[in-house]
Amino acid sequence: MMTRDDLILLASADASGGIGKDNALLVRVPEDMRHFREHTVGQTIIIGRKTLASFKNGQPLPNRKNVILSTTPGYQAEGAVVVKNIAELFEILNGVQGRIYVCGGESVYRALVGFCGRAVITRFDASCDADAFLPDISRETGWLCHDEGEWKTSENGIRFRIQEYERLVQS
Ligand SMILES: NC(=O)c1ccc[n+]([C@@H]2O[C@H](COP(=O)([O-])OP(=O)(O)OC[C@H]3O[C@@H](n4cnc5c(N)ncnc54)[C@H](OP(=O)(O)O)[C@@H]3O)[C@@H](O)[C@H]2O)c1
C-alpha cells in the first residue's frame, strides 16, 4: 500500500478511541470544531455516506470539496462527488490540488488509514459510550506521534489536546 503525505487522517477521539455513537459525535468541543474548519476549508475532505447524513441537514460542508464514499446504487449528494470504491476515489484524488483529509467515520478511517501519511487527532480527556472507533494509530501500527500537543481546557470544560502523527514506516 502506498502512503501519501498529502492524505491526512483527521479525527477526534475519547480516551478509548471512541469517535461516535448513534451516528453522532461523542462531544462537541468548539475549539475542535474551529480546528477542523481551519484545517479543511479550501481543501478536500473524504467522508462516508453515514457521516454525511450526520451533518446539518445532511449537507456537504461548505467551502470544501466533499468526496463521499458509498456503494448504494443511485446514491447522489448535491454539492459533493460520490465515489463507489477506493479505486474510484484515487482516480478523483489524482486531479486534486492541496491537502486531502480523511474525515471518517469508522469504516472510512479503516479503509484509508493505510494510505495516510499523516494523522491529526484531537484527544478528549473523557470516556464516553461509543459505538464507532478509530483504528489503532500507534508505534505498533507504524505511526510516530511527533507532537503530543498541550492539554487545554475547552470553554465547555472538556480537556483536550491535538496530537500530530507521521508514518514511521510505509505500511
Ligand atoms: N470523531 C470524529 O472525528 C468523527 C468523524 C467522522 C465521523 N464520526 C462518527 O463516526 C460514526 C460513523 O461511522 P461509520 O463507520 O458508521 O460510517 P461512515 O464511515 O461515515 O459511513 C459508512 C458508509 O460509507 C460507505 N463506505 C465506507 N467505506 C467504503 C468503501 N471502501 N467503498 C465504498 N463505500 C464505502 C458505505 O456506504 P453505503 O452503505 O452507501 O455503501 C458505508 O455504509 C458516526 O458516529 C460519526 O459521528 C466521528
Side-chain angles (χ1 to χ4, degrees), residues 7-8 57-58 71-72 88 91 109 113 151:
L7 200 57
I8 305 161
N57 301 322
T71 61
T72 302
E88 223 176 86
E91 273 174 38
Y109 290 136
V113 64
W151 285 109

Side-chain angles (χ1 to χ4, degrees), residues 14-89:
D14 79 352
S16 310
I19 60 165
K21 166 94 172 150
D22 297 335
N23 209 33
L25 294 177
L26 296 175
V27 288
R28 290 206 169 260
V29 170
E31 294 87 342
D32 185 45
M33 299 291 166
R34 282 198 286 276
H35 158 79
F36 181 90
R37 240 186 347 263
E38 281 162 16
H39 265 278
T40 58
V41 163
Q43 312 295 335
T44 299
I45 63 170
I46 304 166
I47 54 173
R49 177 183 58 77
K50 292 182 185 169
T51 291
L52 177 64
S54 78
F55 290 172
K56 195 172 168 209
N57 301 322
Q59 295 294 308
L61 298 182
N63 308 318
R64 282 149 271 206
K65 184 182 178 91
N66 288 235
V67 182
I68 318 299
L69 272 158
S70 172
T71 61
T72 302
Y75 172 80
Q76 290 184 343
E78 206 184 324
V81 178
V82 178
V83 293
K84 288 193 283 298
N85 52 47
I86 303 297
E88 223 176 86
L89 172 69

Side-chain angles (χ1 to χ4, degrees), residues 68-127:
I68 318 299
L69 272 158
S70 172
T71 61
T72 302
Y75 172 80
Q76 290 184 343
E78 206 184 324
V81 178
V82 178
V83 293
K84 288 193 283 298
N85 52 47
I86 303 297
E88 223 176 86
L89 172 69
F90 277 96
E91 273 174 38
I92 297 277
L93 296 186
N94 284 337
V96 158
Q97 303 286 315
R99 296 187 302 275
I100 304 159
Y101 289 94
V102 174
C103 295
E106 175 174 342
S107 69
V108 168
Y109 290 136
R110 292 195 188 282
L112 294 175
V113 64
F115 299 101
C116 294
R118 294 172 53 199
V120 180
I121 302 178
T122 304
R123 302 276 181 185
F124 301 126
D125 185 19
S127 293

